Structure formats: structure tokens, C-alpha cells
Amino acid sequence: MTIAPEQRTAAAPSAASLSTAGWTDARLIMALEEVVEVELNRHLKVAKEWMPHEYVPWSLGRDFDGVLGGEAWSLEQSKVTPLGRIALVVNLLTEDNLPSYHHEIATMFGREGAWGTWVHRWTAEEGRHGIAIRDYLLATRAVDPVELERARMTHMAEGFESDNAHSMLHSVAYVAFQELATRISHRNTGHFSGDPICDQLLAKIANDENLHMVFYRNLLKAALEIAPDQAMRAVADVVIDFRMPGHGMPGFERSAAQLAIGGVYNLRIHHDDVLQPVLRHLKVMEIGGLGPAGLQAQQELGVFLDALDAQATKFDERQAALLARRAANAAKK
């Protein structure tokens, strides 16, 4: 018995007919419906329920100044490290744009059948991430609540428009990498936060993100099997032009630079821990039998990865030199 709702009423066309007619987004969505159903049922079996409120130290909370006349926020009230504070705000503001993300994927994948069930399940699971992080930040007074709310309003008022809304395959390829990038960002943020409670909370969130990555990665694998040339082009485009979904938030570039230097997320991590694991699992560079378009995309991807690895090596050297100078300056004080 399937956990997903009934399939769409229209019969899915055969691979042969699709090959003749061309892989449009609508046809790909229909062709991959069974894969989505299998992956959805697998996800629901392995995903474990957890309660965000259990990971928030409510006993540390107290009234802020304002309507309730509590205590104003000040920096010394926070136990979180400066690097952890920056990362937590970036991660939270990224999660805050969930309504826009839901709109994007619901518009792309639809609200019917297994696709629709997944869209809503994914949104429900993602929703608790922002709730839990914000509750933690406010209860522990880790950040200025006024600045945080203003940043949220500014970021959400700008909305979000996916770089990959033009193509179903590009959208699937993007989230396969982006979910892993988000998992690593959350996990490293917890490690650098300086607070074991925060680390524990972000470990739970990172586990959700990992399960989401597996879903999309497996879906991308199926796409590479049925439409290898188009899927290869999508993978190459997404990897080459990859941007994190929070790129439009206020001060993102400055925050990203600080997180890169601090080791939360940088070129080396992106290359080694995000791109390569997904590409190796899918054996993207080993796929044979591609047509001219697919082969060109595969070659472009290989060239880009080599260049990115070289850029990451240069970054590693600059990062090491900068951290050494900071350590030397600190030792003099």
C-alpha cells in the first residue's frame, strides 16, 4: 500500500514516446511520479518526529524591553560566539523565506499526487527549522531581537525568485546540492556556536536537511537515467552558477566572507563536502553514451570543478595566513 495519494489520472507516457516527443517539464514530472512516490514512502519511514520546543532552553528566557517593560538586549548577554551569531542569523533568515520556497516548488512540481504530498511534507518539516532557531535565539538572548526582526522584514519583503524556475530538471539538480549545503552550514554553525544546546538543536535540523538531500539526489539519479543529456546540462548549469538561497538578504556578502574565513562555509567546503559527494554518488563524470549536448555539459562540468578546486586551494592559503596573523596579533595583546 502506498502512503502517497492516488496518482494523477492521466496515464504516464512510455519512455519511448517521451523520447520521440521530447522531455518537456510536464512530461518529466509525469515520468518521475513513481520515483517520487517511492522516495516519499522511504522518507516517511526513516524520518523521525522531533519537537522543536524540546531543544530550546526556555528557563533562560525573560521579558525584553518594550511593551512588557523587561530588560533591554545587550551583547554581553549572549553566550554564542561572534561567528556563531553571524551564522545563526544567516541560517535563520534563509529559513524565513520558506513561503517563497513553497510557492516556487508547488508551482513547479504541482500539488497533486506524490509530488504534491512531498511538497507539503517538505514544507512542514522545513517550517520547524525557523521556529526552533528563532525561539533559541530569543530565549538565550543570542542576538539583538530588534535588528533580527528588521532584517527578517527586509529579507522577506524582497521575496525570493529561483535561478532555476525555468526548468524542472534545473530545479531538482539545484535542491540536490542546496539541501546538502544547508545541512553542512547548520552543522558547522552548531560546532562554532560555543553552546552545546545550540549544537544539539542544529544537529537535529541538519538531519532533516540530509534526508531532504537524499530525496532530491535520488530523484536526480532517476532523471539522469531517463533524460541523461538534459539532466547533465542541468547539473552542469547548477554547479557552475550555484548560489545559496539567502544570497539576497541584507549584508549577505559581508556575512558570507566572515563565515568563509571562520570555516562555517567556504569554497573548500563547497567543493569537497557538497559538490563532490553528490557528483560521486551519481557517478556524473562516469556516465557514458551521452549525446553531443550531454557530453559538452559533462566536459564543462569537469573543467569547472578543476578550476574551483584550484580556487579553493588559493582560498585555503589566504585563510591560513589571515588566521595566523590574527593569532599573532592576539598573542601580542
Side-chain angles (χ1 to χ4, degrees), residues 41-58:
N41 291 338
R42 179 198 55 76
H43 176 84
L44 294 175
K45 289 179 181 178
V46 299
K48 296 183 179 179
E49 180 184 63
W50 64 278
M51 299 297 162
H53 70 273
E54 295 180 359
Y55 293 84
V56 178
W58 300 104

mmCIF file of all heavy atoms in Angstrom, residues 41-58:
data_model
loop_
_atom_site.group_PDB
_atom_site.id
_atom_site.type_symbol
_atom_site.label_atom_id
_atom_site.label_comp_id
_atom_site.label_asym_id
_atom_site.label_seq_id
_atom_site.Cartn_x
_atom_site.Cartn_y
_atom_site.Cartn_z
ATOM 1 N N ASN A 41 7.677 7.517 0.211
ATOM 2 C CA ASN A 41 7.395 6.463 1.179
ATOM 3 C C ASN A 41 8.639 6.072 1.972
ATOM 4 O O ASN A 41 8.558 5.810 3.173
ATOM 5 C CB ASN A 41 6.822 5.234 0.453
ATOM 6 C CG ASN A 41 5.423 5.494 -0.089
ATOM 7 O OD1 ASN A 41 4.723 6.380 0.379
ATOM 8 N ND2 ASN A 41 5.030 4.730 -1.093
ATOM 9 N N ARG A 42 9.791 6.041 1.291
ATOM 10 C CA ARG A 42 11.046 5.764 2.002
ATOM 11 C C ARG A 42 11.326 6.847 3.022
ATOM 12 O O ARG A 42 11.701 6.571 4.174
ATOM 13 C CB ARG A 42 12.201 5.672 0.997
ATOM 14 C CG ARG A 42 13.558 5.406 1.637
ATOM 15 C CD ARG A 42 14.698 5.755 0.698
ATOM 16 N NE ARG A 42 14.607 7.128 0.228
ATOM 17 C CZ ARG A 42 14.919 8.188 0.973
ATOM 18 N NH1 ARG A 42 15.336 8.035 2.227
ATOM 19 N NH2 ARG A 42 14.788 9.403 0.483
ATOM 20 N N HIS A 43 11.135 8.104 2.624
ATOM 21 C CA HIS A 43 11.390 9.228 3.522
ATOM 22 C C HIS A 43 10.504 9.157 4.763
ATOM 23 O O HIS A 43 10.979 9.359 5.890
ATOM 24 C CB HIS A 43 11.139 10.540 2.785
ATOM 25 C CG HIS A 43 11.291 11.751 3.647
ATOM 26 N ND1 HIS A 43 12.512 12.340 3.899
ATOM 27 C CD2 HIS A 43 10.374 12.489 4.350
ATOM 28 C CE1 HIS A 43 12.344 13.378 4.702
ATOM 29 N NE2 HIS A 43 11.065 13.484 4.988
ATOM 30 N N LEU A 44 9.231 8.868 4.566
ATOM 31 C CA LEU A 44 8.305 8.832 5.690
ATOM 32 C C LEU A 44 8.628 7.695 6.656
ATOM 33 O O LEU A 44 8.312 7.786 7.849
ATOM 34 C CB LEU A 44 6.868 8.699 5.177
ATOM 35 C CG LEU A 44 6.338 9.898 4.391
ATOM 36 C CD1 LEU A 44 4.949 9.608 3.839
ATOM 37 C CD2 LEU A 44 6.321 11.154 5.251
ATOM 38 N N LYS A 45 9.272 6.655 6.167
ATOM 39 C CA LYS A 45 9.657 5.548 7.042
ATOM 40 C C LYS A 45 10.885 5.873 7.882
ATOM 41 O O LYS A 45 11.007 5.417 9.021
ATOM 42 C CB LYS A 45 9.923 4.294 6.196
ATOM 43 C CG LYS A 45 8.668 3.667 5.599
ATOM 44 C CD LYS A 45 9.018 2.452 4.756
ATOM 45 C CE LYS A 45 7.776 1.844 4.141
ATOM 46 N NZ LYS A 45 8.099 0.677 3.268
ATOM 47 N N VAL A 46 11.817 6.648 7.316
ATOM 48 C CA VAL A 46 13.075 6.901 8.034
ATOM 49 C C VAL A 46 13.068 8.215 8.817
ATOM 50 O O VAL A 46 13.855 8.378 9.761
ATOM 51 C CB VAL A 46 14.276 6.896 7.061
ATOM 52 C CG1 VAL A 46 14.391 5.540 6.381
ATOM 53 C CG2 VAL A 46 14.147 7.997 6.020
ATOM 54 N N ALA A 47 12.199 9.159 8.433
ATOM 55 C CA ALA A 47 12.151 10.443 9.138
ATOM 56 C C ALA A 47 11.560 10.246 10.529
ATOM 57 O O ALA A 47 10.524 9.612 10.697
ATOM 58 C CB ALA A 47 11.315 11.448 8.345
ATOM 59 N N LYS A 48 12.236 10.777 11.524
ATOM 60 C CA LYS A 48 11.782 10.633 12.906
ATOM 61 C C LYS A 48 11.210 11.948 13.427
ATOM 62 O O LYS A 48 11.801 13.008 13.247
ATOM 63 C CB LYS A 48 12.947 10.175 13.792
ATOM 64 C CG LYS A 48 13.476 8.797 13.441
ATOM 65 C CD LYS A 48 14.592 8.361 14.389
ATOM 66 C CE LYS A 48 15.100 6.964 14.024
ATOM 67 N NZ LYS A 48 16.205 6.530 14.925
ATOM 68 N N GLU A 49 10.081 11.847 14.068
ATOM 69 C CA GLU A 49 9.445 13.031 14.650
ATOM 70 C C GLU A 49 10.327 13.626 15.746
ATOM 71 O O GLU A 49 10.921 12.900 16.540
ATOM 72 C CB GLU A 49 8.086 12.628 15.232
ATOM 73 C CG GLU A 49 7.315 13.771 15.860
ATOM 74 C CD GLU A 49 6.028 13.297 16.493
ATOM 75 O OE1 GLU A 49 6.108 12.495 17.463
ATOM 76 O OE2 GLU A 49 4.946 13.700 16.041
ATOM 77 N N TRP A 50 10.425 14.941 15.752
ATOM 78 C CA TRP A 50 11.104 15.617 16.857
ATOM 79 C C TRP A 50 10.402 16.929 17.151
ATOM 80 O O TRP A 50 9.748 17.505 16.284
ATOM 81 C CB TRP A 50 12.581 15.830 16.571
ATOM 82 C CG TRP A 50 12.929 16.732 15.419
ATOM 83 C CD1 TRP A 50 12.961 16.416 14.106
ATOM 84 C CD2 TRP A 50 13.309 18.120 15.501
ATOM 85 N NE1 TRP A 50 13.339 17.496 13.352
ATOM 86 C CE2 TRP A 50 13.567 18.546 14.178
ATOM 87 C CE3 TRP A 50 13.484 19.019 16.551
ATOM 88 C CZ2 TRP A 50 13.965 19.858 13.886
ATOM 89 C CZ3 TRP A 50 13.882 20.315 16.261
ATOM 90 C CH2 TRP A 50 14.122 20.725 14.944
ATOM 91 N N MET A 51 10.515 17.380 18.384
ATOM 92 C CA MET A 51 9.781 18.547 18.841
ATOM 93 C C MET A 51 10.718 19.738 19.042
ATOM 94 O O MET A 51 11.607 19.691 19.902
ATOM 95 C CB MET A 51 9.061 18.236 20.156
ATOM 96 C CG MET A 51 8.045 17.121 20.017
ATOM 97 S SD MET A 51 6.720 17.569 18.865
ATOM 98 C CE MET A 51 6.037 15.965 18.474
ATOM 99 N N PRO A 52 10.553 20.789 18.262
ATOM 100 C CA PRO A 52 11.441 21.952 18.380
ATOM 101 C C PRO A 52 11.514 22.526 19.789
ATOM 102 O O PRO A 52 12.583 22.949 20.237
ATOM 103 C CB PRO A 52 10.830 22.949 17.392
ATOM 104 C CG PRO A 52 10.128 22.105 16.380
ATOM 105 C CD PRO A 52 9.595 20.940 17.153
ATOM 106 N N HIS A 53 10.383 22.513 20.502
ATOM 107 C CA HIS A 53 10.374 23.151 21.821
ATOM 108 C C HIS A 53 11.275 22.435 22.826
ATOM 109 O O HIS A 53 11.703 23.021 23.813
ATOM 110 C CB HIS A 53 8.938 23.221 22.367
ATOM 111 C CG HIS A 53 8.370 21.891 22.758
ATOM 112 N ND1 HIS A 53 7.722 21.058 21.864
ATOM 113 C CD2 HIS A 53 8.352 21.251 23.950
ATOM 114 C CE1 HIS A 53 7.320 19.966 22.487
ATOM 115 N NE2 HIS A 53 7.697 20.061 23.758
ATOM 116 N N GLU A 54 11.581 21.159 22.547
ATOM 117 C CA GLU A 54 12.413 20.410 23.475
ATOM 118 C C GLU A 54 13.886 20.820 23.401
ATOM 119 O O GLU A 54 14.668 20.462 24.288
ATOM 120 C CB GLU A 54 12.286 18.910 23.192
ATOM 121 C CG GLU A 54 10.885 18.354 23.463
ATOM 122 C CD GLU A 54 10.800 16.874 23.172
ATOM 123 O OE1 GLU A 54 11.825 16.281 22.744
ATOM 124 O OE2 GLU A 54 9.713 16.292 23.373
ATOM 125 N N TYR A 55 14.246 21.548 22.377
ATOM 126 C CA TYR A 55 15.641 21.932 22.175
ATOM 127 C C TYR A 55 15.890 23.414 22.469
ATOM 128 O O TYR A 55 16.948 23.940 22.159
ATOM 129 C CB TYR A 55 16.070 21.597 20.751
ATOM 130 C CG TYR A 55 16.106 20.107 20.496
ATOM 131 C CD1 TYR A 55 14.950 19.422 20.142
ATOM 132 C CD2 TYR A 55 17.275 19.379 20.658
ATOM 133 C CE1 TYR A 55 14.969 18.052 19.933
ATOM 134 C CE2 TYR A 55 17.304 18.012 20.452
ATOM 135 C CZ TYR A 55 16.144 17.347 20.087
ATOM 136 O OH TYR A 55 16.163 15.995 19.890
ATOM 137 N N VAL A 56 14.901 24.062 23.070
ATOM 138 C CA VAL A 56 15.029 25.482 23.410
ATOM 139 C C VAL A 56 15.100 25.628 24.928
ATOM 140 O O VAL A 56 14.202 25.154 25.631
ATOM 141 C CB VAL A 56 13.839 26.287 22.859
ATOM 142 C CG1 VAL A 56 13.942 27.750 23.264
ATOM 143 C CG2 VAL A 56 13.763 26.161 21.339
ATOM 144 N N PRO A 57 16.135 26.266 25.461
ATOM 145 C CA PRO A 57 16.262 26.443 26.917
ATOM 146 C C PRO A 57 15.356 27.561 27.427
ATOM 147 O O PRO A 57 15.801 28.668 27.725
ATOM 148 C CB PRO A 57 17.748 26.781 27.091
ATOM 149 C CG PRO A 57 18.116 27.486 25.823
ATOM 150 C CD PRO A 57 17.308 26.818 24.739
ATOM 151 N N TRP A 58 14.087 27.264 27.525
ATOM 152 C CA TRP A 58 13.099 28.287 27.902
ATOM 153 C C TRP A 58 13.394 28.905 29.258
ATOM 154 O O TRP A 58 13.035 30.065 29.507
ATOM 155 C CB TRP A 58 11.701 27.666 27.913
ATOM 156 C CG TRP A 58 11.285 27.115 26.592
ATOM 157 C CD1 TRP A 58 11.246 25.799 26.211
ATOM 158 C CD2 TRP A 58 10.860 27.863 25.441
ATOM 159 N NE1 TRP A 58 10.826 25.682 24.912
ATOM 160 C CE2 TRP A 58 10.575 26.919 24.411
ATOM 161 C CE3 TRP A 58 10.684 29.220 25.182
ATOM 162 C CZ2 TRP A 58 10.126 27.307 23.152
ATOM 163 C CZ3 TRP A 58 10.231 29.604 23.930
ATOM 164 C CH2 TRP A 58 9.961 28.665 22.925
#
